[in-house]
Amino acid sequence: MSTLPRRRVTRLVVPLIAASLLAACGGEDPAPSGGASASQPAEKVTLTVALFSDFHYAPLYEEFKKTHPNVTITERRSQFNDHHNNLVTQLATGAGAADVVAIEGGFIATFQQVPDKFYNLADYGLTSRQSEYLDWKWQLGLAADGKTLLGLGTDVGGLAMCYRPDLFKKAGLPTNRDEVSALWPTWDAYVETGKKFVAGGVKDAAFTDGPGEHFRAMVEQAPVGFYDASNNLVVATNPDVKKAFDMGVSMIQNKLSGKLTAFTPEWTTGIAKGTFATMVCPAWKTGVIKDQKPGEGTWDIAAVPGGGGNQGGTHLMAPKQGKHPKEAAELINFLTSKESQLTLWKDASALPSLPALYEDPAVSTYVNPYFGDAPIGKIFTDAAKALKPQHTGPKSGDVLLAMGNGLSRVELQNQAPEEAWAQAVADAEKIK
């Protein structure tokens, strides 16, 4: 999951790390200790799991320890950007990495380039899981060579749009989720709805949090994003990237934005206090909303403009610095199992990456009372099924940062949009 924030983050901060990671010496693989179902050794084992938010794993750790009584699990959490940047440093220096690490989808291409830094989970029997997964999710867990199995997927970030019915009512807009969904079949229609919200004169509330997450969602809905299938940077020539940037500019110019960055203290306070009325909402973000305790029924869920999509979602990997790869592989296998993914769906709204679960009534017919009995099972599985996977280039996070900085300059520094676009493109092209 990406309690991101998927994702899950308006401005990803990914250093230019390819050279440092590739230059750092990779250790030799220890001999595999057998498949993930092998009997447990008698010695005491401590596994450290590094995450970028609360994945709601604590009950699952206790279940795992029932069959692995010799294993102690410790968990450490860092802020989203720090977590991924720290891992870059840890892999480059050869020290400090956890036994199991979570990698969010926006960063995964970075680590696919350095398979020598991770254990190959195929050596521990986990290729047997391939048939369970959405094909594109499985492929993301492979190294750039298409052979080494670096990680298993946890969740996917099927997209929706979360909104506050109370603020919509004050603006004179519909509040029923079906009627709200009908307001914005396209992103242009979403902006037009925002203009009506602004005209409604709602006090102390913006139409949305900020343009960054919307820009990312729109780019990731396109057939091609920042890179083509040959890893050529196409930001300057891809009209869908420019269209998404222009949409973000339109949100700013029409005063729809609350000028907030996702996952900052001001943003989380805004969720609870109602300082903005809509936000791009992958499945896992509904758990973030609930954690802020805005009150049952305060937020509801409608369809995302543009027809489905994905934002965020995570893989679990085992860096070679870990001394217990067999146990790490077994824990990864357990945390991503069908049973665990179903538990996390119920507990944290983490949409499973195993499509067989989409037909399970516990997922497909689930309604969430915290969101006005929204049928989130149908909403998010429909979005996931509609997704057409997009190729992610090796430095997509850096490029996203450059684009997000461009929008920030328009919003916070009054830079002319065309100047901001030109600078963002130039900054992205330096990343190549």
Side-chain angles (χ1 to χ4, degrees), residues 364-376:
S364 62
T365 64
Y366 179 68
V367 298
N368 193 323
Y370 203 84
F371 294 86
D373 289 328
I376 69 169

Side-chain angles (χ1 to χ4, degrees), residues 248-266:
V249 169
S250 180
M251 290 173 57
I252 294 166
Q253 292 178 331
N254 287 287
K255 304 186 186 306
L256 311 188
S257 170
K259 302 182 180 181
L260 297 175
T261 300
F263 305 102
T264 60
E266 295 80 9

Side-chain angles (χ1 to χ4, degrees), residues 117-137:
K117 302 300 178 186
F118 297 91
Y119 289 110
N120 183 357
L121 298 181
D123 292 337
Y124 302 92
L126 298 191
T127 52
S128 63
R129 298 285 308 279
Q130 181 173 0
S131 63
E132 300 177 40
Y133 275 89
L134 292 163
D135 182 65
W136 63 267
K137 186 71 172 180

Side-chain angles (χ1 to χ4, degrees), residues 260-301:
L260 297 175
T261 300
F263 305 102
T264 60
E266 295 80 9
W267 180 80
T268 54
T269 297
I271 291 174
K273 300 293 186 181
T275 63
F276 54 92
T278 68
M279 61 176 165
V280 173
C281 206
W284 49 264
K285 198 178 280 184
T286 62
V288 177
I289 292 173
K290 189 175 179 180
D291 287 345
Q292 309 316 311
K293 299 180 174 60
E296 189 168 303
T298 302
W299 285 87
D300 207 326
I301 306 171

